[in-house]
Structure formats: structure tokens, C-alpha cells
Amino acid sequence: MRKIDKSILAKVIKPRDPISYKGNYGRILIIAGSIHFGGAAILSSSAAVYSGAGLVTVATTPEKFASLNTRIPEAMTIDYHDQKETLNSIKQSNVIVIGPGLGISELTQSLIKSVIENTTKNQTIIFDASALTEVSEENIDITSISANVILTPHQGEWQRLSELEIPDQTTDNNLEAINKLAPSSLLIVKKHLSEIYYHDNVSQIKAGNAGMATGGMGDTLTGVIAAFVGQFGFSEETVAAALFLHSYISDSIYEKSFVVLPEKLISEIPLAMKSIIIK
Ligand SMILES: NC(=O)C1=CN([C@@H]2O[C@H](COP(=O)(O)OP(=O)(O)OC[C@H]3O[C@@H](n4cnc5c(N)ncnc54)[C@H](O)[C@@H]3O)[C@@H](O)[C@H]2O)[C@@H](O)CC1
Ligand SMILES: Nc1ncnc2c1ncn2[C@@H]1O[C@H](COP(=O)(O)OP(=O)(O)O)[C@@H](O)[C@H]1O
Ligand SMILES: [Mg+2]
């Protein structure tokens, strides 16, 4: 199993061209949040903005517009009940995150199907949280999606998708399961020392700590990955760098703090990314 260490960061995080504009750094759509899970949409979108995404739009329930605009004014908001507006945003985005805080509902199922049917090979979809649960519970076919696909289940969500009990989630079993479920996708099994499965390659990050075992940490990861793909393009390296940075910053916080709060992690992303390119 290949190990992912700090060297991945300098391979991916590059200085910006002075002659550039926000369109160069990715249009991200985050389809997230619901009446009981407003924070997931805030954390995912904040993480995307703070990780350098050019433009971030959150498709969520209008009850959450005020809190979102207050917490992360850089992100724009659209109503995911408005099919026309949501479809328009799906088609215009480079990266689409779907799932954090969405909840289990017919709406979630229809949003998933709309994303699958209206994206092309030049786009990337990140399935997380409730979207993963719906894919498994509704047997939604994700084997032949045109867009790049990234799945970010924790071990419980992976159990639902793969039908592998957690103790049986070995490298070989995971590889077999992902090749059956979505052969060309990139799978991250989130846990202590998370693993990446992509085209039969298996790698493991050498960072992460138990202070990360707090609600919202996975929602946050989706925003970091989305921003990295939006800026640096879809590749196993880009995703590995995002996954590593998320745990690397958490490790530095964990040195002095009993718990790693997702918001604290997010606040430290810009300085951590800058430190990688300062020689
Ligand atoms: N502030 C917010 O708005 C938050 C919203 N959240 C949303 O809540 C929804 C449900 O996600 P959850 O993950 O909380 O609940 P899930 O029900 O999807 O998964 C948690 C369940 O998985 C099982 N499990 C077993 N081993 C596990 C392991 N090692 N790691 C994780 N789970 C394991 C347990 O039965 C546990 O109850 C998602 O849409 C998520 O985005 C959560 O992310 C928490 C924070
Ligand atoms: N003990 C641990 N060691 C390292 N990383 C952990 C540990 N516990 C949780 N994490 C990380 O925290 C995140 C939790 O994701 P998830 O359960 O989806 O959170 P949420 O859905 O509440 O946002 C994952 O990235 C996981 O790898
Ligand atoms: Mg999660």
C-alpha cells in the first residue's frame, strides 16, 4: 500500500499566476444542507472557499440562506427546490459536491439523478454523506457516470455501499467492492489513516488523529477536495493532497487541542497552503 506523506502537498499546491481571475480556480456547486443539518452546508462551502475555490454556490433549502450568507458571505445560494436554477448551476460547475446534510428524501434522490444525468466527462462529482446513503438504499446506478466520480464514505457509509462489515473492509475486499460498484471512480474510505482506492491503486495517508472524530469533519473534507479539483484538476494526486492537508492541519491543531473543530481547521487552510509554496 503506497503511503501519502507531506511531499504530496508541494507536488500539487503551486503558486498562482499573477494574471489570473476567479474563473481559473474552479466553479464549485455544493448541494447540501436541510432543515436539521444546516451546518454541513456551511462547513463544506467554507472549506471550499478557504481552500482557494474561485466561485462557490450552495444549493440548499431557503430557510438556511440567512445563516449561510452570514457565516460565509463569499458563497452564493440557490434554492434546490427550483429545478431550473439547480440544473443550470449543475451544468455550469466544474465540481459538484452532493450529500452533506442533505438528509434522506425524495428530493435528495431526484437531485442525485439530476447530477448524474446532466454532467459530462469534464466535470467532477463528489458523493458524500446522505447522497451515499441514498445511493445504497435506493440502488442508484453509479457504474457508468460520464463525470469523474469521487466517493467519500466513512466506514459506516462504506458498509452500506459495499455490504462489507467494518472488520471485513480489507484492502482486497474494498478493491473488489469498488470495482463492482463504480469501477472508474475514486474511493476514499475515511477512518484513522484514511485510504484512497483508484484504478487498482491503494494508498494510505500518514496523518490524522482522534481529535477529528467530531461531527462536520467529513463535510469539511468535501469542500477541501472540491476546491483542490477546481484549482488543480481531477487526479489521484490532487485528491490525495486535499485529503492529506485536511489531516495534516488537524494534526497541528491536535498538538495543543483536545478536539479538532472543523471551523478551526478551515480557518488555518489558507496559511497552511501558503506555507507549502514559500521556499
Ligand atoms: N452539523 C451538521 O449539519 C452535521 C451534519 N451531518 C450530516 O448528517 C447526515 C448523517 O451522517 P452521519 O455520518 O452522522 O450518520 P450516518 O447514519 O450516515 O452514519 C453514522 C452511522 O454509521 C455507523 N458507523 C459504524 N462505524 C462507523 C465509523 N467507524 N464511522 C462512522 N460511522 C460508523 C454507526 O451506526 C453510525 O450511527 C449526513 O448528511 C451528514 O452530512 C453530520 O456530518 C454531522 C454534522
Ligand atoms: N480517529 C480518527 N483518526 C483519524 N481521522 C479520523 C478519526 N476519526 C474521524 N476521522 C476523520 O474525520 C472525518 C469524519 O468524517 P465523517 O464521519 O463523514 O464526518 P461528518 O459526516 O460528521 O462530517 C473523516 O475524514 C475521518 O477520516
Ligand atoms: Mg460524513
Side-chain angles (χ1 to χ4, degrees), residues 42-44 46-47 50 220 261-270:
I42 291 172
L43 292 170
S44 181
S46 300
Y50 280 63
T220 301
L261 293 177
E263 287 189 294
K264 173 83 174 145
L265 190 175
I266 291 166
S267 70
E268 300 199 358
I269 293 172

Side-chain angles (χ1 to χ4, degrees), residues 70-81:
T70 307
R71 298 302 299 272
I72 183 76
E74 294 88 347
M76 298 165 281
T77 40
I78 59 172
D79 178 357
Y80 55 32
H81 303 94

Side-chain angles (χ1 to χ4, degrees), residues 9-279:
L9 297 178
K11 279 190 196 149
V12 171
I13 301 169
K14 300 297 181 194
R16 287 189 165 185
D17 183 340
I19 303 167
S20 59
Y21 80 112
K22 60 194 175 211
N24 298 124
Y25 302 115
R27 288 174 185 276
I28 315 299
L29 172 62
I30 298 173
I31 306 175
S34 54
I35 202 69
H36 300 298
F37 299 132
I42 291 172
L43 292 170
S44 181
S45 54
S46 300
V49 170
Y50 280 63
S51 300
L55 275 171
V56 177
T57 298
V58 183
T60 190
T61 183
E63 293 97 329
K64 298 299 175 182
F65 283 6
S67 55
L68 251 160
N69 296 153
T70 307
R71 298 302 299 272
I72 183 76
E74 294 88 347
M76 298 165 281
T77 40
I78 59 172
D79 178 357
Y80 55 32
H81 303 94
D82 181 332
Q83 284 187 357
K84 191 163 167 287
E85 198 169 20
T86 305
L87 180 60
N88 195 32
S89 191
I90 288 169
K91 290 181 173 176
Q92 284 179 356
S93 301
N94 306 109
V95 187
I96 297 149
V97 173
I98 182 162
L102 260 189
I104 303 305
S105 67
E106 305 244 316
L107 175 66
T108 297
Q109 292 160 34
S110 70
L111 285 164
I112 293 169
K113 287 170 187 157
S114 178
V115 168
I116 290 174
E117 288 155 14
N118 295 288
T119 43
T120 65
K121 65 178 173 42
N122 306 315
Q123 294 172 281
T124 297
I125 310 169
I126 300 166
F127 289 93
D128 183 52
S130 304
L132 292 170
T133 302
E134 287 285 24
V135 164
S136 37
E137 289 185 357
E138 298 302 316
N139 279 315
I140 297 172
D141 178 11
I142 58 169
T143 48
S144 49
I145 297 176
S146 327
N148 301 309
V149 170
I150 300 170
L151 308 174
T152 57
H154 55 57
Q155 292 175 294
E157 291 155 343
W158 181 233
Q159 180 173 327
R160 291 188 202 118
L161 282 166
S162 64
E163 295 172 358
L164 291 168
E165 298 286 327
I166 291 177
D168 300 331
Q169 293 178 9
T170 61
T171 312
D172 291 346
N173 289 345
N174 289 344
L175 260 182
E176 190 184 333
I178 191 62
N179 284 333
K180 220 181 335 182
L181 185 78
S184 54
S185 70
L186 186 151
L187 166 71
I188 296 177
V189 179
K190 296 181 302 192
K191 56 187 197 174
H192 182 62
L193 304 183
S194 297
E195 292 159 1
I196 297 180
Y197 295 79
Y198 185 58
H199 291 172
D200 286 339
N201 293 333
V202 188
S203 41
Q204 181 183 61
I205 58 167
K206 299 310 289 170
N209 60 75
M212 298 170 71
T214 179
M217 194 50 83
D219 303 322
T220 301
L221 176 63
T222 63
V224 184
I225 297 172
F228 268 56
V229 173
Q231 288 171 94
F232 309 117
F234 173 83
S235 73
E236 185 180 0
E237 264 197 352
T238 298
V239 178
L243 179 66
F244 187 84
L245 184 73
H246 175 260
S247 284
Y248 175 68
I249 296 173
S250 297
D251 282 349
S252 68
I253 296 169
Y254 196 52
E255 278 166 22
K256 296 194 182 66
S257 175
F258 185 76
V259 66
V260 180
L261 293 177
E263 287 189 294
K264 173 83 174 145
L265 190 175
I266 291 166
S267 70
E268 300 199 358
I269 293 172
L271 289 179
M273 289 178 76
K274 185 73 175 183
S275 71
I276 299 302
I277 60 172
I278 293 173
K279 291 295 167 230

